[in-house]
Amino acid sequence: RRKKQGRRGRQAAQQAAQQAAALAALSADELKTRGRQALREQRIYSPAGNNAMEYYIALRKKSAKPDASAESALMDLQPYAVIAAEQALTRQDFIEAERLRSLIAAADPQAPSLTRIADAIAKGQSLAAQQQAADATRTDEQAKAAEVKTPNA
């Protein structure tokens, strides 16, 4: 499972880089239009690379001066991303939780929830690794016990 998480994490990072490049290629007007459309369709923070928060963050990076509607939208949408990150943590989906933490940080680097979410991700990953190790040990012990009970033929 750990290998699967690692591979999934690398794939997510690669996909995020590709999505960031695609967003950077869009004009400011296109980003604003897509951001509004995503809001109307309730794509607040997902799917990755095609949601209102990412469009508005890309618009912020591209614009020489802040766009008032984008800045307002980011402030309004941030609590939804925090809730989604907490839900991802509950599901032990640490890759999604980290993606959402990154969105929150991009929207507001001073967001009070960032430290809490980062700590919860680290703690959750550590507990998951401990559980995986305990499961592996238990499986090994069960296999050895089964060998002892089964006489050699």
Side-chain angles (χ1 to χ4, degrees):
R1 183 175 168 153
R2 182 174 217 145
K3 286 183 183 179
K4 185 178 181 181
Q5 281 279 2
R7 182 175 46 240
R8 190 169 160 231
R10 285 189 299 278
Q11 289 171 342
Q14 185 179 25
Q15 186 177 22
Q18 291 169 346
Q19 290 165 345
L23 289 174
L26 298 174
S27 71
D29 286 341
E30 183 67 16
L31 288 167
K32 189 182 271 192
T33 299
R34 288 187 183 197
R36 279 192 230 119
Q37 181 67 30
L39 272 179
R40 279 192 298 275
E41 295 174 2
Q42 297 295 305
R43 290 180 285 118
I44 295 170
Y45 49 80
S46 68
N50 186 12
N51 62 74
M53 287 191 75
E54 289 186 57
Y55 288 127
Y56 289 136
I57 290 166
L59 177 61
R60 175 193 280 168
K61 290 177 183 177
K62 188 170 282 269
S63 300
K65 60 180 184 170
D67 180 278
S69 63
E71 294 301 317
S72 177
L74 285 170
M75 287 177 50
D76 292 345
L77 300 176
Q78 185 178 331
Y80 296 104
V82 170
I83 291 167
E86 291 169 346
Q87 290 171 340
L89 286 165
T90 299
R91 294 188 313 270
Q92 296 188 351
D93 186 350
F94 304 116
I95 292 169
E96 177 66 1
E98 178 57 31
R99 184 187 75 81
L100 292 164
R101 189 207 60 78
S102 294
L103 272 182
I104 296 162
D108 179 7
Q110 304 302 315
S113 59
L114 286 174
T115 302
R116 178 175 46 82
I117 292 170
D119 290 347
I121 291 169
K123 183 178 178 182
Q125 288 173 324
S126 176
L127 289 173
Q130 290 172 7
Q131 182 63 47
Q132 184 179 5
D135 291 348
T137 300
R138 193 174 315 111
T139 301
D140 289 346
E141 290 170 355
Q142 289 170 347
K144 288 177 185 173
E147 286 176 14
V148 171
K149 288 181 182 178
T150 307
N152 290 343

